[in-house]
Amino acid sequence: VKSEGPKLVPFFKATCVYFVLWLPTSSPSWFSALIKCLPIFCLWVFLLAHGINFLVSHRSASRILAGLIFSAVGDAFLIWQEQGYFIHGLLMFAITHILYSSAFGMKPLDLKAGLLMGLVSSSCYAFLYSYLSGPFTYLVAVYIALIGFMGWRAVAGVQLCNDLWTWTKLSACIGAMLFMVSDLTIALNKFCFPVPYSRFIIMATYYAAQMLIALSAVESRDEEDFRKRN
C-alpha cells in the first residue's frame, strides 16, 4: 500500500472528476470522452511510473498496459455508441480481454475454475440470446467467450487452498469479476431492459476492475524484490 498507493492518487482524483461532473451521455463530445478516459490514462501513468525497463522485461505488465490503451480507445468509441460506434467499442474491449488473458498466463491451468467460468458465461449468453438479433447474436457470443476466458485465467491464478496466492493475483481475480459485472450490466441495459442506476454500476465496477487489474501487473516486481531480499 505504501509503495503503490501514492502512484494511484491521480487515478482516484480523475475518477472523482468523472462522477462529480457526470456529463450527460445524450450529448457526446471530445470533452466527455476525455473525462471518461482520464482515469484510464492515469493507470497508464501508474504502470509507466514503475519504469520502462520494468515494462519491457516483464511481458505481463506490458500486455496489461496495452490492454489499458485499447480500453481507452473502446471508451472513446462508446461515447458515440448511439451514432453507430458500439461495435467498434466492443472490438476494442475484445482485444483488451485477449491481452489480459495473455498477461495472466495459462499456469496453473485449474480446469475446475475453467468449467465454472464456462457455465457462468454460457448461462449469461443463454439469457441474452432471445434479446439479440442480427450480427449481435454472434458478436456477443464471441465477446462473452473472451471475457469468460479472461475471468478463468484470473481466477485460476488464485490458489487459496494451496496457500500460493498473492495480493496481486487476488487483485487480478477481483478485477476480472468486476469487469464481468460491468459488461453484463451494459448488455442487460442495452439489449434486454433498463437497469436502475445502470451508468453508475457500469462505471464504478469498470474503474475498480481496471485499477485492480493494473495493480496485478506489479506481481513480477514483487517477486523480484523478494528474491533480492533473500
Side-chain angles (χ1 to χ4, degrees), residues 168-213:
T168 43
K169 285 185 170 64
L170 186 61
S171 175
C173 177
I174 297 173
M177 295 301 101
L178 288 174
F179 216 135
M180 294 178 74
V181 170
S182 178
D183 282 356
L184 179 59
T185 306
I186 290 176
L188 291 174
N189 192 65
K190 183 173 182 63
F191 300 114
C192 304
F193 48 78
V195 177
Y197 307 107
S198 60
R199 184 181 172 192
F200 177 81
I201 295 170
I202 291 165
M203 298 310 299
T205 53
Y206 170 69
Y207 285 141
Q210 293 283 38
M211 179 196 71
L212 290 168
I213 291 173

Side-chain angles (χ1 to χ4, degrees), residues 159-165:
Q159 301 181 68
L160 294 174
C161 296
N162 298 329
D163 198 28
L164 295 174
W165 66 279

Side-chain angles (χ1 to χ4, degrees), residues 54-211:
F54 169 73
L55 293 173
V56 171
S57 59
H58 297 92
R59 291 183 178 181
S60 60
S62 60
R63 287 168 184 171
I64 287 176
L65 176 60
L68 288 169
I69 292 172
F70 278 99
S71 293
V73 177
D75 281 332
F77 276 130
L78 292 181
I79 287 287
W80 286 277
Q81 61 178 290
E82 298 302 326
Q83 285 71 38
Y85 288 95
F86 181 81
I87 292 179
H88 298 73
L90 197 69
L91 176 61
M92 293 299 103
F93 279 107
I95 296 172
T96 293
H97 296 317
I98 293 171
L99 288 165
Y100 286 169
S101 299
S102 178
F104 298 150
M106 291 301 296
K107 295 181 180 180
L109 193 60
D110 197 347
L111 293 177
K112 290 182 179 179
L115 179 60
L116 176 61
M117 293 307 301
L119 289 173
V120 171
S121 300
S122 299
S123 299
C124 290
Y125 182 70
F127 179 82
L128 292 169
Y129 181 77
S130 60
Y131 295 94
L132 301 173
S133 61
F136 284 115
T137 304
Y138 311 102
L139 291 174
V140 172
V142 173
Y143 186 86
I144 289 178
L146 289 174
I147 194 172
F149 184 83
M150 186 272 290
W152 169 31
R153 299 321 310 147
V155 171
V158 183
Q159 301 181 68
L160 294 174
C161 296
N162 298 329
D163 198 28
L164 295 174
W165 66 279
T166 62
W167 72 268
T168 43
K169 285 185 170 64
L170 186 61
S171 175
C173 177
I174 297 173
M177 295 301 101
L178 288 174
F179 216 135
M180 294 178 74
V181 170
S182 178
D183 282 356
L184 179 59
T185 306
I186 290 176
L188 291 174
N189 192 65
K190 183 173 182 63
F191 300 114
C192 304
F193 48 78
V195 177
Y197 307 107
S198 60
R199 184 181 172 192
F200 177 81
I201 295 170
I202 291 165
M203 298 310 299
T205 53
Y206 170 69
Y207 285 141
Q210 293 283 38
M211 179 196 71

